[in-house]
Amino acid sequence: MITVQDLAIQFGKRVLFQEVNLKFTHGNCYGIIGANGAGKSTFLKAISGDLNPTKGTVTIAPGERLSVLRQDHFAFDECTVIETVLRGHEPLWNIMQEKDAIYAKPEMTDADGIRACELEEKFAEMDGWNAESDAAALLSGLGIKEDLHYKLMGELSGKEKVRVLLAQALFGKPDNLLLDEPTNDLDLETVMWLEEYLSNFENTVLIVSHDRHFLDSVCTHTVDIDYGKISMFAGNYSFWYESSQLALRQRAQQNKKAEEKKKELQEFIQRFSANVAKSKQTTSRKKMLEKLNIEEIQPSTRKYPGIIFTPKREPGNKVLEVKNLSASIEGEVLFKDVNFQVEKDDKIVFVSHDPRAMTALFEIINGNIKADSGSYSWGEDTIISAYLPMDNTNFFNSDLSLVDWLSQYSPDTTESFVRGFLGRMLFSGEEIYKKCNVLSGGEKMRCMISRMMMKDANLLCLDSPTNHLDLESIQAFNNTLKTFKGIVLMSSHDHEFIQTVCNRVIELTPNGIIDKRMDYDDYIMDDSIKELKEKMYAK
């Protein structure tokens, strides 16, 4: 258990939050949400002890172990992968080191023998004899193959290091687990593994994440950091979002009686509880369903961007035809002999074991790079496309102000017109005169979305559209794509985004494609598709 009492954190005159009093208890998983800059990661650092609060205390229950997902990718470069994971359980690791040092002595004294016996007893109590196999199982579950387990961390790629550090945090089933963006750089299959693991994790977990499906799958409670306050609610992210939106609508209904509002809230809780109970994403923890109550439902003060795509005209019957397309990077095949046709009502997600495959495909069909072989053709008379690339760096290599930057892509360059599009993406007041080369990753993405909205496109090509966005922007983007009247071609690591938007899945492999017209949940659960994928990647 973790107890937070009268916590406050302030940097200079800027107060992140104050008077925070919360208890995080055994058997629950807490999803920490808040706008970019609200202090989510700072809050975790205060709990872990990496940051001293301005005021207040954080207390871990006596005898309990705290484990944290560390972000220092170079801290263990001289250690083997398996050793790095074992170091995650510091008490066990220290016993192993002391025990080995005693046995390495040329001659043992009586005191050494007594101490070795004590250590062996503690080692057995900690299940030390299974430690290495448990560490290996974690690594394998997170996609680190056995041939890497005894390599030095310094030999691994950045994405592989992320997975090893996550295994380190999970190792030994700590009493309290702090995870800051644990799904970063994980593919969808590994995220599913982590969801399953945490759903069955019986201790206390605090998670910061922008992945709504992940939060819904594992969290029993939502901790909202908003305008200097931290509030805790029973229920996962979807319950918090939908209930806060309902409460906001009710607040606007001045003439509605209090009894009617209460009944509406109660009915919402019942519907939500029934849906969660039947959902594929239900966690093994059912406590949240027992604790939902109308007193906790409050309107959110969050601001959501106004993302609106208005197609100038309907797409025609011919949209896009791809024939025998192949692409590789430095001799490594990303995909080959790709053939498909995009139809009028398609919303397609492209997936692959290698995320570079989707980027290569999108860059090819948008005319930015050439394929190794094959061809593609658009329905030129009917398609107006808008492309959101994964890497937007080259768009912002200037010192133009935001309003001047967006004017480059606008049919109407008057400031009031351009300012309207920036305003929809929550750029207000003097912010529109900020230089575009000093923007954060999230601000750049919001500018790129403003640029897309201006095109009145009937086809959207989106390469990892949720990257760098906060939950509010992701939710708004997701909501508009659900009702978008045009065609969507996209790649994403956001399960919820894919499941709620797409009606077709195309998987790119080095040996052709798997093309299925179905939703994503059905695709990943279909046993025949799993067998086909093994064959396509094994050839």
Side-chain angles (χ1 to χ4, degrees), residues 503-514:
N503 55 21
R504 183 177 171 188
V505 182
I506 296 180
E507 182 147 2
L508 304 169
T509 83
N511 299 290
I513 66 169
I514 303 169

Side-chain angles (χ1 to χ4, degrees), residues 394-432:
N394 290 335
F395 286 88
F396 297 96
N397 289 334
S398 75
D399 60 357
L400 291 174
S401 67
L402 266 61
V403 69
D404 289 336
W405 179 88
L406 191 57
S407 294
Q408 299 174 103
Y409 309 105
S410 175
D412 182 343
T413 57
T414 59
E415 183 172 311
S416 59
F417 180 80
V418 175
R419 191 171 194 145
F421 282 89
L422 289 170
R424 289 183 194 174
M425 295 308 298
L426 306 182
F427 292 107
S428 60
E430 295 301 308
E431 279 187 309
I432 68 166

Side-chain angles (χ1 to χ4, degrees), residues 338-377:
V338 169
N339 294 276
F340 63 86
Q341 287 188 342
V342 177
E343 299 176 11
K344 190 173 181 179
D345 297 319
D346 277 343
K347 291 184 178 179
I348 305 173
V349 61
F350 292 87
V351 298
S352 176
H353 284 183
D354 190 338
R356 297 176 301 172
M358 286 83 78
T359 296
L361 176 68
F362 292 154
E363 287 290 297
I364 289 167
I365 63 176
N366 281 283
N368 295 330
I369 63 173
K370 289 186 177 181
D372 292 348
S373 61
S375 63
Y376 65 93
S377 59

Side-chain angles (χ1 to χ4, degrees), residues 304-488:
Y304 291 81
I307 302 177
I308 304 168
F309 298 112
T310 52
K312 199 168 188 176
R313 57 176 179 265
E314 280 192 25
N317 292 324
K318 183 182 178 182
V319 179
L320 172 67
E321 184 174 14
V322 172
K323 291 183 178 179
N324 300 317
L325 210 63
S326 299
S328 61
I329 293 179
E330 297 177 352
E332 186 177 354
V333 176
L334 298 177
F335 54 80
K336 70 177 181 181
D337 301 328
V338 169
N339 294 276
F340 63 86
Q341 287 188 342
V342 177
E343 299 176 11
K344 190 173 181 179
D345 297 319
D346 277 343
K347 291 184 178 179
I348 305 173
V349 61
F350 292 87
V351 298
S352 176
H353 284 183
D354 190 338
R356 297 176 301 172
M358 286 83 78
T359 296
L361 176 68
F362 292 154
E363 287 290 297
I364 289 167
I365 63 176
N366 281 283
N368 295 330
I369 63 173
K370 289 186 177 181
D372 292 348
S373 61
S375 63
Y376 65 93
S377 59
W378 291 98
E380 293 180 5
D381 294 334
T382 57
I383 290 301
I384 307 168
S385 66
Y387 177 36
L388 183 67
M390 179 188 288
D391 183 2
N392 56 38
T393 306
N394 290 335
F395 286 88
F396 297 96
N397 289 334
S398 75
D399 60 357
L400 291 174
S401 67
L402 266 61
V403 69
D404 289 336
W405 179 88
L406 191 57
S407 294
Q408 299 174 103
Y409 309 105
S410 175
D412 182 343
T413 57
T414 59
E415 183 172 311
S416 59
F417 180 80
V418 175
R419 191 171 194 145
F421 282 89
L422 289 170
R424 289 183 194 174
M425 295 308 298
L426 306 182
F427 292 107
S428 60
E430 295 301 308
E431 279 187 309
I432 68 166
Y433 302 114
K434 185 187 288 189
K435 301 298 183 184
C436 69
N437 55 9
V438 299
L439 298 178
S440 68
E443 288 172 328
K444 287 177 181 177
M445 282 294 285
R446 286 190 281 136
C447 283
M448 293 295 288
I449 294 169
S450 294
R451 174 178 174 269
M452 289 179 70
M453 287 193 290
M454 284 181 163
K455 298 195 74 170
D456 295 332
N458 54 20
L459 182 143
L460 305 178
C461 186
L462 311 171
D463 192 359
S464 300
T466 62
N467 280 8
H468 303 294
L469 293 180
D470 58 21
L471 275 169
E472 291 70 46
S473 299
I474 292 171
Q475 189 72 58
F477 208 162
N478 197 166
N479 288 347
T480 198
L481 289 184
K482 289 179 189 176
T483 57
F484 179 60
K485 299 299 183 184
I487 296 153
V488 176

